[in-house]
Amino acid sequence: MLSELHNRSYHFLNFLPNVADFLVQKHKESSLKVDEKSLYNLVTEADLKAESLILEEIQKNFPSDGILSEERDAIPGTSGYTWVIDPLDGTTNYTHGLPLYGVSVGVVETETMTPVIGMVFFPELNTYYHAIKGQGAFREKNQIHVSKTKSMKDSLFVTGFPYDRNLSLDTLMQYYKSILQKSRGIRRTGAATLDLCWLAEGKFEGYYELGLKPWDMAAAGLIVMEANGKLTSMDGNDFSIMIPSLLASNGHVHEYLLAEFEGKINRVAY
């Protein structure tokens, strides 16, 4: 199994720079076509082309693997592995000319949807993160770990807002206000994969968000776990990429954060 994972990881760590280069070049164009999938939820021609490049590479080199991707219907496989892909995480940032966006490619065991490979490239930050289950987490060639901060007052947090935020805005603001009052602050980058990778290397102590999708969590979630971080749902259940809420932390402040959400999770946001 490990050799199969290394084979997939090695191949795509060498391939994904091509996708990153494409996104950078496309980002320089002044006539980028943007469509609205729903309120606040955008898709660009860059998303679709980047996804096509990734899907073609998987189907050419690992044709028996399944694929679950943001912009396409799921493709079943027979190998026991499924690729989970977000070709452009942070599309709104991308359309506004911000460099805070990434390409997220994960592999999960199909039966359990457990992440076993995670790779996230940030084209305009000139860096990438990756992990294989049981092998540690890395920024490029350097192993990374979550921070050792143990108190809320010394912690910096990061969050995102769901696309259907208007259905639960009061609850979201309650979380934000309460945590903000007890910590050094809360940031919002607009890209869940960036939030999680920065948590994995110790820049943040905790992250939470409602309304996530499997491709938001599969790759970067594994990177956090392999960096010795902790993942659960926001109501304390075991982590699953199929549960659309996520609480990630360095482990030390996890229970403090769970207490913030206890009895206040707004199910509408699910």
Side-chain angles (χ1 to χ4, degrees):
M1 174 182 172
L2 192 56
S3 62
E4 293 181 353
L5 299 183
H6 278 292
N7 185 27
R8 287 165 172 80
S9 177
Y10 179 80
H11 185 95
F12 264 79
L13 287 176
N14 285 281
F15 169 74
L16 285 175
N18 299 320
V19 181
D21 289 344
F22 161 76
L23 288 172
V24 171
Q25 292 304 312
K26 198 69 177 175
H27 207 197
K28 296 176 181 178
E29 296 180 7
S30 59
S31 57
L32 183 69
K33 183 180 178 182
V34 182
D35 294 317
E36 288 188 1
K37 293 190 288 186
S38 62
L39 185 65
Y40 309 124
N41 190 2
L42 307 179
V43 61
T44 73
E45 56 186 321
D47 294 70
L48 300 175
K49 178 59 177 177
E51 184 175 58
S52 293
L53 292 172
I54 295 169
L55 265 59
E56 289 168 7
E57 192 70 13
I58 294 169
Q59 292 174 318
K60 176 182 176 182
N61 293 279
F62 307 102
S64 62
D65 290 359
I67 300 173
L68 178 62
S69 188
E70 181 174 13
E71 309 299 344
R72 305 284 180 92
D73 292 334
I75 300 172
T78 58
S79 68
Y81 296 114
T82 296
W83 297 75
V84 185
I85 301 160
D86 191 341
L88 205 175
D89 179 41
T91 299
T92 301
N93 287 346
Y94 190 82
T95 61
H96 285 265
L98 297 175
L100 304 180
Y101 65 89
V103 183
S104 177
V105 176
V107 178
V108 301
E109 294 177 342
T110 304
E111 185 175 350
T112 62
M113 297 303 283
T114 301
V116 290
I117 298 174
M119 297 167 281
V120 188
F121 277 64
F122 298 104
E124 292 188 45
L125 300 182
N126 297 310
T127 194
Y128 65 94
Y129 299 77
H130 57 105
I132 295 175
K133 186 178 180 181
Q135 303 296 301
F138 297 84
R139 177 177 178 175
E140 299 168 18
K141 295 182 179 181
N142 300 311
Q143 190 165 8
I144 57 174
H145 301 281
V146 295
S147 80
K148 298 180 180 180
T149 302
K150 296 182 178 181
S151 67
M152 286 282 284
K153 69 179 181 65
D154 295 324
S155 294
L156 184 64
F157 299 106
V158 64
T159 190
F161 300 129
Y163 292 127
D164 59 356
R165 67 194 69 163
N166 289 340
L167 298 176
S168 54
L169 197 56
D170 289 344
T171 301
L172 291 170
M173 291 300 100
Q174 286 177 18
Y175 303 155
Y176 196 95
K177 179 180 178 181
S178 181
I179 294 171
L180 188 62
Q181 290 174 325
K182 299 170 184 174
S183 68
R184 284 190 174 166
I186 302 177
R187 301 292 180 261
R188 170 154 159 68
T189 72
T193 55
L194 184 60
D195 298 340
L196 290 166
C197 287
W198 277 356
L199 188 154
E201 67 173 332
K203 286 180 167 61
F204 299 124
E205 278 66 49
Y207 160 84
Y208 68 92
E209 188 166 353
L210 289 164
L212 293 173
K213 301 296 184 181
W215 41 82
D216 296 315
M217 299 180 277
L222 178 66
I223 292 167
V224 171
M225 287 189 286
E226 289 296 317
N228 299 321
K230 183 173 182 177
L231 301 178
T232 66
S233 66
M234 284 174 62
D235 50 7
N237 289 316
D238 290 344
F239 167 67
S240 167
I241 67 169
M242 307 310 290
I243 297 176
S245 85
L246 180 62
L247 172 58
S249 79
N250 64 0
H252 299 296
V253 299
H254 206 87
E255 295 303 318
Y256 297 123
L257 288 168
L258 280 177
E260 293 295 319
F261 309 127
E262 187 174 6
K264 295 185 289 186
I265 298 295
N266 186 342
R267 300 289 173 173
V268 173
Y270 280 64

PDB file of all heavy atoms in Angstrom, residues 112-115 196 212 214 216-222 225 230-233 236-243 245-248:
ATOM      1  N   THR A 112     -13.715   3.988   3.135  1.00  0.00           N
ATOM      2  CA  THR A 112     -13.890   4.764   4.371  1.00  0.00           C
ATOM      3  C   THR A 112     -13.803   6.268   4.152  1.00  0.00           C
ATOM      4  O   THR A 112     -14.114   7.032   5.062  1.00  0.00           O
ATOM      5  CB  THR A 112     -12.811   4.380   5.394  1.00  0.00           C
ATOM      6  OG1 THR A 112     -11.521   4.710   4.858  1.00  0.00           O
ATOM      7  CG2 THR A 112     -12.867   2.879   5.707  1.00  0.00           C
ATOM      8  N   MET A 113     -13.376   6.700   2.970  1.00  0.00           N
ATOM      9  CA  MET A 113     -13.125   8.111   2.644  1.00  0.00           C
ATOM     10  C   MET A 113     -12.095   8.725   3.603  1.00  0.00           C
ATOM     11  O   MET A 113     -12.122   9.911   3.902  1.00  0.00           O
ATOM     12  CB  MET A 113     -14.425   8.915   2.658  1.00  0.00           C
ATOM     13  CG  MET A 113     -15.438   8.459   1.618  1.00  0.00           C
ATOM     14  SD  MET A 113     -14.798   8.494  -0.083  1.00  0.00           S
ATOM     15  CE  MET A 113     -14.892  10.255  -0.451  1.00  0.00           C
ATOM     16  N   THR A 114     -11.159   7.910   4.055  1.00  0.00           N
ATOM     17  CA  THR A 114     -10.074   8.357   4.927  1.00  0.00           C
ATOM     18  C   THR A 114      -8.923   8.895   4.089  1.00  0.00           C
ATOM     19  O   THR A 114      -8.410   8.186   3.215  1.00  0.00           O
ATOM     20  CB  THR A 114      -9.566   7.198   5.803  1.00  0.00           C
ATOM     21  OG1 THR A 114     -10.638   6.702   6.595  1.00  0.00           O
ATOM     22  CG2 THR A 114      -8.428   7.656   6.702  1.00  0.00           C
ATOM     23  N   PRO A 115      -8.468  10.113   4.323  1.00  0.00           N
ATOM     24  CA  PRO A 115      -7.359  10.665   3.542  1.00  0.00           C
ATOM     25  C   PRO A 115      -6.055   9.902   3.770  1.00  0.00           C
ATOM     26  O   PRO A 115      -5.696   9.589   4.908  1.00  0.00           O
ATOM     27  CB  PRO A 115      -7.239  12.107   4.049  1.00  0.00           C
ATOM     28  CG  PRO A 115      -8.585  12.421   4.624  1.00  0.00           C
ATOM     29  CD  PRO A 115      -9.065  11.129   5.226  1.00  0.00           C
ATOM     30  N   LEU A 196      -5.616  25.770   6.707  1.00  0.00           N
ATOM     31  CA  LEU A 196      -5.203  24.503   7.321  1.00  0.00           C
ATOM     32  C   LEU A 196      -3.698  24.271   7.195  1.00  0.00           C
ATOM     33  O   LEU A 196      -3.052  23.789   8.129  1.00  0.00           O
ATOM     34  CB  LEU A 196      -5.989  23.347   6.703  1.00  0.00           C
ATOM     35  CG  LEU A 196      -7.471  23.317   7.091  1.00  0.00           C
ATOM     36  CD1 LEU A 196      -8.241  22.360   6.190  1.00  0.00           C
ATOM     37  CD2 LEU A 196      -7.647  22.919   8.560  1.00  0.00           C
ATOM     38  N   LEU A 212     -18.375  23.177   4.766  1.00  0.00           N
ATOM     39  CA  LEU A 212     -17.277  22.724   3.925  1.00  0.00           C
ATOM     40  C   LEU A 212     -17.671  21.525   3.070  1.00  0.00           C
ATOM     41  O   LEU A 212     -18.643  20.822   3.352  1.00  0.00           O
ATOM     42  CB  LEU A 212     -16.072  22.361   4.793  1.00  0.00           C
ATOM     43  CG  LEU A 212     -15.401  23.522   5.519  1.00  0.00           C
ATOM     44  CD1 LEU A 212     -14.334  22.990   6.469  1.00  0.00           C
ATOM     45  CD2 LEU A 212     -14.789  24.503   4.528  1.00  0.00           C
ATOM     46  N   PRO A 214     -15.966  17.964   0.803  1.00  0.00           N
ATOM     47  CA  PRO A 214     -14.835  17.025   0.930  1.00  0.00           C
ATOM     48  C   PRO A 214     -13.534  17.554   0.353  1.00  0.00           C
ATOM     49  O   PRO A 214     -12.461  17.348   0.927  1.00  0.00           O
ATOM     50  CB  PRO A 214     -15.329  15.790   0.169  1.00  0.00           C
ATOM     51  CG  PRO A 214     -16.819  15.839   0.300  1.00  0.00           C
ATOM     52  CD  PRO A 214     -17.170  17.291   0.258  1.00  0.00           C
ATOM     53  N   ASP A 216     -12.478  20.510   0.262  1.00  0.00           N
ATOM     54  CA  ASP A 216     -11.878  21.534   1.118  1.00  0.00           C
ATOM     55  C   ASP A 216     -10.982  20.922   2.192  1.00  0.00           C
ATOM     56  O   ASP A 216     -10.089  21.601   2.708  1.00  0.00           O
ATOM     57  CB  ASP A 216     -12.965  22.362   1.823  1.00  0.00           C
ATOM     58  CG  ASP A 216     -13.827  23.150   0.868  1.00  0.00           C
ATOM     59  OD1 ASP A 216     -13.263  23.773  -0.047  1.00  0.00           O
ATOM     60  OD2 ASP A 216     -15.061  23.137   1.036  1.00  0.00           O
ATOM     61  N   MET A 217     -11.248  19.673   2.539  1.00  0.00           N
ATOM     62  CA  MET A 217     -10.636  19.080   3.733  1.00  0.00           C
ATOM     63  C   MET A 217      -9.710  17.909   3.464  1.00  0.00           C
ATOM     64  O   MET A 217      -8.823  17.629   4.290  1.00  0.00           O
ATOM     65  CB  MET A 217     -11.747  18.600   4.680  1.00  0.00           C
ATOM     66  CG  MET A 217     -12.672  19.687   5.171  1.00  0.00           C
ATOM     67  SD  MET A 217     -13.954  19.031   6.300  1.00  0.00           S
ATOM     68  CE  MET A 217     -15.174  18.434   5.116  1.00  0.00           C
ATOM     69  N   ALA A 218      -9.893  17.197   2.364  1.00  0.00           N
ATOM     70  CA  ALA A 218      -9.203  15.915   2.186  1.00  0.00           C
ATOM     71  C   ALA A 218      -7.684  16.062   2.224  1.00  0.00           C
ATOM     72  O   ALA A 218      -7.003  15.383   3.009  1.00  0.00           O
ATOM     73  CB  ALA A 218      -9.639  15.265   0.875  1.00  0.00           C
ATOM     74  N   ALA A 219      -7.134  16.936   1.408  1.00  0.00           N
ATOM     75  CA  ALA A 219      -5.677  17.071   1.341  1.00  0.00           C
ATOM     76  C   ALA A 219      -5.119  17.828   2.545  1.00  0.00           C
ATOM     77  O   ALA A 219      -4.236  17.340   3.250  1.00  0.00           O
ATOM     78  CB  ALA A 219      -5.286  17.779   0.042  1.00  0.00           C
ATOM     79  N   ALA A 220      -5.651  19.021   2.795  1.00  0.00           N
ATOM     80  CA  ALA A 220      -5.111  19.855   3.876  1.00  0.00           C
ATOM     81  C   ALA A 220      -5.417  19.273   5.253  1.00  0.00           C
ATOM     82  O   ALA A 220      -4.645  19.464   6.195  1.00  0.00           O
ATOM     83  CB  ALA A 220      -5.651  21.274   3.765  1.00  0.00           C
ATOM     84  N   GLY A 221      -6.538  18.568   5.383  1.00  0.00           N
ATOM     85  CA  GLY A 221      -6.857  17.920   6.650  1.00  0.00           C
ATOM     86  C   GLY A 221      -5.812  16.881   7.028  1.00  0.00           C
ATOM     87  O   GLY A 221      -5.382  16.799   8.186  1.00  0.00           O
ATOM     88  N   LEU A 222      -5.391  16.086   6.044  1.00  0.00           N
ATOM     89  CA  LEU A 222      -4.340  15.103   6.308  1.00  0.00           C
ATOM     90  C   LEU A 222      -3.033  15.795   6.691  1.00  0.00           C
ATOM     91  O   LEU A 222      -2.320  15.344   7.599  1.00  0.00           O
ATOM     92  CB  LEU A 222      -4.118  14.217   5.082  1.00  0.00           C
ATOM     93  CG  LEU A 222      -3.005  13.180   5.240  1.00  0.00           C
ATOM     94  CD1 LEU A 222      -3.367  12.149   6.305  1.00  0.00           C
ATOM     95  CD2 LEU A 222      -2.681  12.510   3.918  1.00  0.00           C
ATOM     96  N   MET A 225      -3.214  16.653  10.301  1.00  0.00           N
ATOM     97  CA  MET A 225      -3.064  15.460  11.152  1.00  0.00           C
ATOM     98  C   MET A 225      -1.623  14.984  11.199  1.00  0.00           C
ATOM     99  O   MET A 225      -1.107  14.631  12.272  1.00  0.00           O
ATOM    100  CB  MET A 225      -3.984  14.346  10.648  1.00  0.00           C
ATOM    101  CG  MET A 225      -5.449  14.583  10.947  1.00  0.00           C
ATOM    102  SD  MET A 225      -6.497  13.143  10.575  1.00  0.00           S
ATOM    103  CE  MET A 225      -6.529  13.201   8.786  1.00  0.00           C
ATOM    104  N   LYS A 230      -5.023  18.272  15.519  1.00  0.00           N
ATOM    105  CA  LYS A 230      -6.225  17.528  15.851  1.00  0.00           C
ATOM    106  C   LYS A 230      -7.396  18.035  15.016  1.00  0.00           C
ATOM    107  O   LYS A 230      -7.561  19.246  14.839  1.00  0.00           O
ATOM    108  CB  LYS A 230      -6.557  17.662  17.344  1.00  0.00           C
ATOM    109  CG  LYS A 230      -7.771  16.841  17.783  1.00  0.00           C
ATOM    110  CD  LYS A 230      -7.944  16.865  19.293  1.00  0.00           C
ATOM    111  CE  LYS A 230      -9.126  15.997  19.726  1.00  0.00           C
ATOM    112  NZ  LYS A 230      -9.268  15.960  21.205  1.00  0.00           N
ATOM    113  N   LEU A 231      -8.219  17.102  14.530  1.00  0.00           N
ATOM    114  CA  LEU A 231      -9.384  17.440  13.724  1.00  0.00           C
ATOM    115  C   LEU A 231     -10.625  16.757  14.285  1.00  0.00           C
ATOM    116  O   LEU A 231     -10.590  15.570  14.626  1.00  0.00           O
ATOM    117  CB  LEU A 231      -9.215  16.968  12.274  1.00  0.00           C
ATOM    118  CG  LEU A 231      -8.033  17.490  11.456  1.00  0.00           C
ATOM    119  CD1 LEU A 231      -8.043  16.845  10.080  1.00  0.00           C
ATOM    120  CD2 LEU A 231      -8.079  18.988  11.330  1.00  0.00           C
ATOM    121  N   THR A 232     -11.714  17.509  14.388  1.00  0.00           N
ATOM    122  CA  THR A 232     -13.037  16.954  14.687  1.00  0.00           C
ATOM    123  C   THR A 232     -14.043  17.791  13.919  1.00  0.00           C
ATOM    124  O   THR A 232     -13.700  18.795  13.285  1.00  0.00           O
ATOM    125  CB  THR A 232     -13.390  17.019  16.189  1.00  0.00           C
ATOM    126  OG1 THR A 232     -13.515  18.402  16.583  1.00  0.00           O
ATOM    127  CG2 THR A 232     -12.348  16.339  17.062  1.00  0.00           C
ATOM    128  N   SER A 233     -15.314  17.403  13.991  1.00  0.00           N
ATOM    129  CA  SER A 233     -16.360  18.322  13.556  1.00  0.00           C
ATOM    130  C   SER A 233     -16.505  19.394  14.633  1.00  0.00           C
ATOM    131  O   SER A 233     -15.969  19.266  15.743  1.00  0.00           O
ATOM    132  CB  SER A 233     -17.687  17.588  13.360  1.00  0.00           C
ATOM    133  OG  SER A 233     -18.160  17.104  14.607  1.00  0.00           O
ATOM    134  N   GLY A 236     -17.718  18.143  17.889  1.00  0.00           N
ATOM    135  CA  GLY A 236     -16.893  17.186  18.601  1.00  0.00           C
ATOM    136  C   GLY A 236     -16.897  15.774  18.084  1.00  0.00           C
ATOM    137  O   GLY A 236     -16.247  14.901  18.676  1.00  0.00           O
ATOM    138  N   ASN A 237     -17.591  15.504  16.994  1.00  0.00           N
ATOM    139  CA  ASN A 237     -17.574  14.159  16.420  1.00  0.00           C
ATOM    140  C   ASN A 237     -16.262  13.905  15.684  1.00  0.00           C
ATOM    141  O   ASN A 237     -15.514  14.835  15.351  1.00  0.00           O
ATOM    142  CB  ASN A 237     -18.752  13.982  15.464  1.00  0.00           C
ATOM    143  CG  ASN A 237     -20.078  13.902  16.201  1.00  0.00           C
ATOM    144  OD1 ASN A 237     -20.184  13.224  17.219  1.00  0.00           O
ATOM    145  ND2 ASN A 237     -21.076  14.604  15.697  1.00  0.00           N
ATOM    146  N   ASP A 238     -15.991  12.632  15.409  1.00  0.00           N
ATOM    147  CA  ASP A 238     -14.772  12.266  14.698  1.00  0.00           C
ATOM    148  C   ASP A 238     -14.704  12.966  13.352  1.00  0.00           C
ATOM    149  O   ASP A 238     -15.720  13.178  12.683  1.00  0.00           O
ATOM    150  CB  ASP A 238     -14.714  10.757  14.485  1.00  0.00           C
ATOM    151  CG  ASP A 238     -14.486   9.990  15.774  1.00  0.00           C
ATOM    152  OD1 ASP A 238     -14.067  10.624  16.765  1.00  0.00           O
ATOM    153  OD2 ASP A 238     -14.745   8.769  15.784  1.00  0.00           O
ATOM    154  N   PHE A 239     -13.505  13.303  12.941  1.00  0.00           N
ATOM    155  CA  PHE A 239     -13.296  13.967  11.660  1.00  0.00           C
ATOM    156  C   PHE A 239     -13.708  13.067  10.500  1.00  0.00           C
ATOM    157  O   PHE A 239     -13.390  11.885  10.460  1.00  0.00           O
ATOM    158  CB  PHE A 239     -11.827  14.346  11.500  1.00  0.00           C
ATOM    159  CG  PHE A 239     -11.458  14.761  10.108  1.00  0.00           C
ATOM    160  CD1 PHE A 239     -11.974  15.924   9.560  1.00  0.00           C
ATOM    161  CD2 PHE A 239     -10.593  13.976   9.348  1.00  0.00           C
ATOM    162  CE1 PHE A 239     -11.625  16.314   8.266  1.00  0.00           C
ATOM    163  CE2 PHE A 239     -10.234  14.365   8.067  1.00  0.00           C
ATOM    164  CZ  PHE A 239     -10.750  15.538   7.524  1.00  0.00           C
ATOM    165  N   SER A 240     -14.418  13.644   9.566  1.00  0.00           N
ATOM    166  CA  SER A 240     -14.746  12.981   8.306  1.00  0.00           C
ATOM    167  C   SER A 240     -14.882  14.045   7.238  1.00  0.00           C
ATOM    168  O   SER A 240     -15.497  15.096   7.466  1.00  0.00           O
ATOM    169  CB  SER A 240     -16.069  12.204   8.418  1.00  0.00           C
ATOM    170  OG  SER A 240     -16.525  11.810   7.122  1.00  0.00           O
ATOM    171  N   ILE A 241     -14.332  13.785   6.052  1.00  0.00           N
ATOM    172  CA  ILE A 241     -14.470  14.763   4.972  1.00  0.00           C
ATOM    173  C   ILE A 241     -15.904  14.839   4.475  1.00  0.00           C
ATOM    174  O   ILE A 241     -16.245  15.762   3.722  1.00  0.00           O
ATOM    175  CB  ILE A 241     -13.521  14.454   3.796  1.00  0.00           C
ATOM    176  CG1 ILE A 241     -13.900  13.151   3.094  1.00  0.00           C
ATOM    177  CG2 ILE A 241     -12.077  14.439   4.264  1.00  0.00           C
ATOM    178  CD1 ILE A 241     -13.166  12.932   1.784  1.00  0.00           C
ATOM    179  N   MET A 242     -16.758  13.915   4.923  1.00  0.00           N
ATOM    180  CA  MET A 242     -18.153  13.918   4.508  1.00  0.00           C
ATOM    181  C   MET A 242     -19.046  14.686   5.479  1.00  0.00           C
ATOM    182  O   MET A 242     -20.233  14.845   5.237  1.00  0.00           O
ATOM    183  CB  MET A 242     -18.665  12.479   4.363  1.00  0.00           C
ATOM    184  CG  MET A 242     -17.816  11.589   3.459  1.00  0.00           C
ATOM    185  SD  MET A 242     -17.461  12.336   1.835  1.00  0.00           S
ATOM    186  CE  MET A 242     -19.097  12.275   1.093  1.00  0.00           C
ATOM    187  N   ILE A 243     -18.482  15.158   6.591  1.00  0.00           N
ATOM    188  CA  ILE A 243     -19.235  15.993   7.536  1.00  0.00           C
ATOM    189  C   ILE A 243     -18.880  17.447   7.255  1.00  0.00           C
ATOM    190  O   ILE A 243     -17.706  17.825   7.346  1.00  0.00           O
ATOM    191  CB  ILE A 243     -18.891  15.639   8.993  1.00  0.00           C
ATOM    192  CG1 ILE A 243     -19.307  14.203   9.307  1.00  0.00           C
ATOM    193  CG2 ILE A 243     -19.572  16.613   9.957  1.00  0.00           C
ATOM    194  CD1 ILE A 243     -18.907  13.740  10.701  1.00  0.00           C
ATOM    195  N   SER A 245     -18.586  20.284   8.572  1.00  0.00           N
ATOM    196  CA  SER A 245     -18.072  21.262   9.526  1.00  0.00           C
ATOM    197  C   SER A 245     -16.737  20.747  10.022  1.00  0.00           C
ATOM    198  O   SER A 245     -16.511  19.537  10.091  1.00  0.00           O
ATOM    199  CB  SER A 245     -19.038  21.474  10.700  1.00  0.00           C
ATOM    200  OG  SER A 245     -18.848  20.518  11.719  1.00  0.00           O
ATOM    201  N   LEU A 246     -15.855  21.674  10.348  1.00  0.00           N
ATOM    202  CA  LEU A 246     -14.509  21.266  10.737  1.00  0.00           C
ATOM    203  C   LEU A 246     -13.971  22.178  11.824  1.00  0.00           C
ATOM    204  O   LEU A 246     -14.071  23.404  11.747  1.00  0.00           O
ATOM    205  CB  LEU A 246     -13.572  21.329   9.524  1.00  0.00           C
ATOM    206  CG  LEU A 246     -12.111  20.919   9.784  1.00  0.00           C
ATOM    207  CD1 LEU A 246     -12.028  19.474  10.243  1.00  0.00           C
ATOM    208  CD2 LEU A 246     -11.277  21.140   8.532  1.00  0.00           C
ATOM    209  N   LEU A 247     -13.395  21.545  12.830  1.00  0.00           N
ATOM    210  CA  LEU A 247     -12.593  22.224  13.836  1.00  0.00           C
ATOM    211  C   LEU A 247     -11.209  21.586  13.802  1.00  0.00           C
ATOM    212  O   LEU A 247     -11.077  20.374  13.987  1.00  0.00           O
ATOM    213  CB  LEU A 247     -13.211  22.071  15.225  1.00  0.00           C
ATOM    214  CG  LEU A 247     -12.366  22.579  16.400  1.00  0.00           C
ATOM    215  CD1 LEU A 247     -12.030  24.048  16.239  1.00  0.00           C
ATOM    216  CD2 LEU A 247     -13.067  22.331  17.719  1.00  0.00           C
ATOM    217  N   ALA A 248     -10.207  22.394  13.532  1.00  0.00           N
ATOM    218  CA  ALA A 248      -8.821  21.932  13.493  1.00  0.00           C
ATOM    219  C   ALA A 248      -8.012  22.766  14.461  1.00  0.00           C
ATOM    220  O   ALA A 248      -8.244  23.973  14.598  1.00  0.00           O
ATOM    221  CB  ALA A 248      -8.257  22.062  12.082  1.00  0.00           C
TER     222      ALA A 248
END
